[in-house]
C-alpha cells in the first residue's frame, strides 16, 4: 500500500528518514529515481540515512511503475520518494495506487518560480500537478509532517 509520495530533491535525509517515516508508520521506502538506481555510490550514501526496521528500495521510475502495478508493494506500507515533479507525474499517470503527493522540496532551476518556501516549479510542472489534482490526487505542500496542509492549486490559481 502506498501511504504517500513525496517530491524532495534531496531524496532521503534526516527529516524524511525519521519524521516522515514515523508519522506515516511505514515499513518500506521506495526511492524512484533513474540516476540513483544506476549509481552504487549514491545508493550507499542514501542508505546511511535509512531508519532501522525500514526496508529501503531503489528503482528507476519505470521499474517503480512496474513494481507498484504488479502488486509486489501491496504487502508493505510504502513511502515513495521522487526527486522531481516529472518523476511524480510519471508515477501517478502510470499507476492507480498513488492518492497523495507531498510537495516537499523542489530545487530552484532556470525558468522556475517560487510558489512556496523551497518549492520552485516551471509552468509545465504546474500544469502537471494541477492535472493530477483534478484527477483526484491530493497534492499538498508541506515541509514537515506537523505543518498545516496547503493545497497545491491554492498557490497557483493565477499562474501558468
Amino acid at each position: 500500500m502506498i501511504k504517500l509520495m513525496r517530491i524532495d530533491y534531496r531524496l532521503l535525509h534526516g527529516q524524511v528518514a525519521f519524521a516522515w517515516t514515523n508519522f506515516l508508520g511505514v515499513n518500506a521506502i521506495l526511492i524512484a529515481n533513474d540516476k540513483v538506481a544506476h549509481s552504487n555510490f549514491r545508493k550507499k550514501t542514501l542508505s546511511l540515512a535509512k531508519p532501522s526496521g525500514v526496508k529501503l528500495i531503489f528503482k528507476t521510475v519505470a521499474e517503480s511503475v512496474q513494481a507498484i502495478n504488479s502488486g509486489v508493494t501491496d504487502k508493505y506500507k510504502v513511502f515513495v520518494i521522487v526527486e522531481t515533479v516529472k518523476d511524480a507525474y510519471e508515477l501517478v499517470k502510470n499507476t492507480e495506487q498513488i492518492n497523495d503527493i507531498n510537495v516537499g522540496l523542489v530545487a530552484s532551476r532556470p525558468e522556475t518560480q517560487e510558489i512556496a518556501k523551497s518549492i520552485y516549479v516551471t509552468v509545465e510542472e504546474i500544469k502537471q500537478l494541477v492535472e493530477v489534482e483534478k484527477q483526484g490526487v491530493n497534492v499538498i505542500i508541506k515541509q514537515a509532517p506537523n505543518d498545516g496542509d496547503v493545497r497545491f492549486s491554492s498557490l497557483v490559481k493565477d499562474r501558468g
Side-chain angles (χ1 to χ4, degrees):
M1 164 200 282
I2 307 296
K3 298 284 282 185
L4 180 71
M5 178 167 55
R6 178 177 170 92
I7 303 169
D8 190 326
Y9 72 90
R10 298 185 301 174
L11 297 171
L12 189 60
H13 54 88
Q15 179 183 13
V16 170
F18 299 101
W20 279 101
T21 55
N22 288 332
F23 177 77
L24 295 169
V26 298
N27 58 12
I29 296 172
L30 169 58
I31 295 181
N33 183 275
D34 294 351
K35 291 178 186 170
V36 171
H38 297 297
S39 169
N40 287 332
F41 176 76
R42 287 204 57 201
K43 286 190 264 191
K44 285 181 183 178
T45 303
L46 290 168
S47 294
L48 295 173
K50 181 188 91 61
S52 63
V54 175
K55 183 178 178 86
L56 181 59
I57 305 134
F58 299 100
K59 292 193 176 294
T60 66
V61 173
E63 291 168 343
S64 297
V65 166
Q66 185 178 18
I68 292 167
N69 287 337
S70 76
V72 73
T73 59
D74 293 351
K75 62 184 173 185
Y76 298 101
K77 296 176 190 165
V78 183
F79 182 22
V80 179
I81 305 171
V82 297
E83 185 176 28
T84 66
V85 172
K86 178 182 179 282
D87 290 347
Y89 181 75
E90 288 300 314
L91 281 167
V92 170
K93 293 300 288 180
N94 293 294
T95 66
E96 294 180 4
Q97 293 84 345
I98 298 170
N99 300 312
D100 299 286
I101 298 175
N102 165 241
V103 184
L105 297 169
V106 182
S108 176
R109 296 151 286 139
E111 312 272 328
T112 59
Q113 54 188 298
E114 185 176 28
I115 60 164
K117 183 182 176 195
S118 301
I119 308 290
Y120 298 87
V121 289
T122 65
V123 171
E124 182 63 23
E125 291 169 336
I126 290 171
K127 289 177 184 174
Q128 289 173 337
L129 290 172
V130 167
E131 179 185 331
V132 298
E133 202 171 49
K134 285 180 180 175
Q135 293 174 351
V137 176
N138 296 313
V139 182
I140 302 297
I141 305 285
K142 193 172 187 167
Q143 298 275 329
N146 294 328
D147 293 346
D149 289 355
V150 177
R151 284 197 84 58
F152 177 77
S153 57
S154 74
L155 299 175
V156 296
K157 282 191 188 311
D158 298 319
R159 301 178 193 226

